[in-house]
Every structure is written in structure tokens, then in C-alpha cells.
């Protein structure tokens, strides 16, 4: 409660933190899907090479092998960039979560990575649903404060 008294946390900040946690929880699945897209593109490219020149490729008609290679490389680069940015955000959020207590980390992993509801988490942690909601609010407040501290440090580093 002392942390909450130091800085008044707004509802908007909590909503933003929940969105960041939701994105953090789904980052691994998202990156896995992007990797599958890259593999699919590789299979399409191999199939295109079997068919030969002037075959349809990625929705375009009469594509030469050179054009297909350029399209393939562009799509792979785009997918890899998405994976890279997603993993950067994931690791940043992971650093904040590592600052929390072990029980709080488990709660966030159950809630956001696994996607479990409060009922299931309450059963697993042997707490009431109301306690889970209160714990969730406290965890959000801590994460908001951690993020705020790190942003202040980043601005100091940039100014120097």
C-alpha cells in the first residue's frame, strides 16, 4: 500500500499495463506463428521452383524466378522484423516481471501466458477470487512503478 500512496496510479495506466501483459503473454505464440509463416513461404518458393517460370506466386500472376526470390526475401524480412520487435518487447517486460516476488510471477504467468481465469488461479493458489483480484491490482501497480522508474533512468541516460 505504501507504493500506491507514493504515486497515484490511474485507471488508464492499469489498462495500458494489462494490454502490455496480454501482449507479453501471447508473444511466444505470435513468434511461433510467424516462424510457421516463414516455413510456409519456403515451401511455396520450393513449389514455385518446381513449377517453373511464369507461375503464380504470392497472389501475383506470371512471376519470374528473380521476382519470386525478391518477394520471398521481402516477406521473410518482414516476418523476421515482426519477430524481432515482439521478442524485444517480451524481454523488456520479462525484466520488469523478474523484479516481482515469485508468487506474483507465477500469478502473471498463469493469467497472461496460460490464459487462465481468476477461478482457476484461485483454486491453484488456494486463495479466494477476491484476493486474486486484489493481488492482480497490486501487481499491476508494482509493474507500473517499475516501468516508470526505468523510463526515468532512460531519459537521464539520453540527456547525459
Amino acid at each position: 500500500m505504501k507504493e500506491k500512496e507514493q504515486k497515484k496510479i490511474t485507471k488508464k495506466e492499469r489498462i495500458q499495463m494489462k494490454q502490455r501483459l496480454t501482449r507479453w503473454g501471447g508473444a511466444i505464440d505470435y513468434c511461433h506463428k510467424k516462424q510457421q509463416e516463414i516455413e510456409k513461404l519456403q515451401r511455396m518458393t520450393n513449389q514455385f521452383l518446381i513449377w517453373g517460370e511464369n507461375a503464380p506466386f504470392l497472389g501475383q500472376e506470371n512471376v519470374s524466378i528473380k521476382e519470386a526470390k525478391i518477394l520471398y526475401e521481402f516477406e521473410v524480412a518482414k516476418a523476421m522484423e515482426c519477430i524481432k520487435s515482439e521478442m524485444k518487447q517480451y524481454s523488456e517486460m520479462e525484466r520488469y516481471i523478474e523484479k516481482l516476488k515469485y508468487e506474483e510471477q507465477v500469478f502473471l504467468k498463469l493469467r497472461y501466458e496460460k490464459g487462465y481465469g481468476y477461478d482457476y488461479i484461485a483454486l491453484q493458489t488456494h486463495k479466494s477470487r477476491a484476493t486474486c483480484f486484489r493481488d492482480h491490482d497490486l501487481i499491476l501497480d508494482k509493474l507500473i512503478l517499475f516501468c516508470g522508474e526505468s523510463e526515468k533512468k532512460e531519459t537521464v541516460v539520453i540527456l547525459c
Side-chain angles (χ1 to χ4, degrees):
M1 293 302 273
K2 292 178 184 177
E3 294 170 1
K4 197 171 184 180
E5 293 170 4
Q6 290 175 353
K7 180 187 176 231
K8 200 72 165 165
I9 307 234
T10 65
K11 187 174 182 179
K12 184 179 177 183
E13 289 175 316
R14 281 193 179 153
I15 290 170
Q16 289 173 343
M17 183 54 67
K18 285 180 185 178
Q19 290 170 343
R20 288 179 72 181
L21 285 168
T22 302
R23 189 169 184 148
W24 166 79
I28 300 296
D29 288 336
Y30 177 79
C31 292
H32 182 68
K33 288 177 184 174
K34 284 292 181 185
Q35 191 64 39
Q36 288 176 334
E37 283 182 27
I38 292 171
E39 292 168 4
K40 182 180 177 184
L41 282 169
Q42 181 62 43
R43 288 192 304 271
M44 287 174 60
T45 303
N46 291 340
Q47 188 66 36
F48 176 79
L49 294 175
I50 291 170
W51 287 343
E53 198 148 328
N54 297 328
F57 184 74
L58 291 176
Q60 297 187 13
E61 296 292 326
N62 301 327
V63 178
S64 70
I65 292 175
K66 193 178 202 179
E67 292 170 335
K69 186 175 181 181
I70 291 170
L71 284 171
Y72 166 75
E73 289 173 354
F74 175 74
E75 291 295 324
V76 168
K78 194 165 67 172
M80 291 302 287
E81 187 62 35
C82 287
I83 291 172
K84 183 179 174 182
S85 68
E86 195 69 26
M87 290 310 293
K88 182 180 177 186
Q89 291 176 0
Y90 177 83
S91 62
E92 179 183 327
M93 200 66 201
E94 191 71 27
R95 277 183 282 151
Y96 297 136
I97 290 171
E98 287 174 357
K99 294 178 182 179
L100 297 171
K101 295 176 188 171
Y102 177 75
E103 294 81 23
E104 295 169 337
Q105 292 178 20
V106 169
F107 180 89
L108 288 178
K109 288 186 187 299
L110 289 173
R111 180 76 180 124
Y112 292 100
E113 277 189 350
K114 302 288 185 182
Y116 295 140
Y118 289 103
D119 292 329
Y120 182 80
I121 295 170
L123 276 172
Q124 293 300 315
T125 58
H126 307 291
K127 296 178 181 177
S128 69
R129 284 183 75 234
T131 303
C132 286
F133 279 103
R134 285 191 295 271
D135 289 348
H136 186 246
D137 286 341
L138 291 173
I139 293 168
L140 288 176
D141 293 347
K142 283 183 181 181
L143 286 173
I144 291 168
L145 291 174
F146 291 154
C147 291
E149 290 172 3
S150 70
E151 288 173 4
K152 286 179 186 176
K153 289 178 185 176
E154 287 175 9
T155 54
V156 169
V157 170
I158 292 171
L159 293 174
C160 293

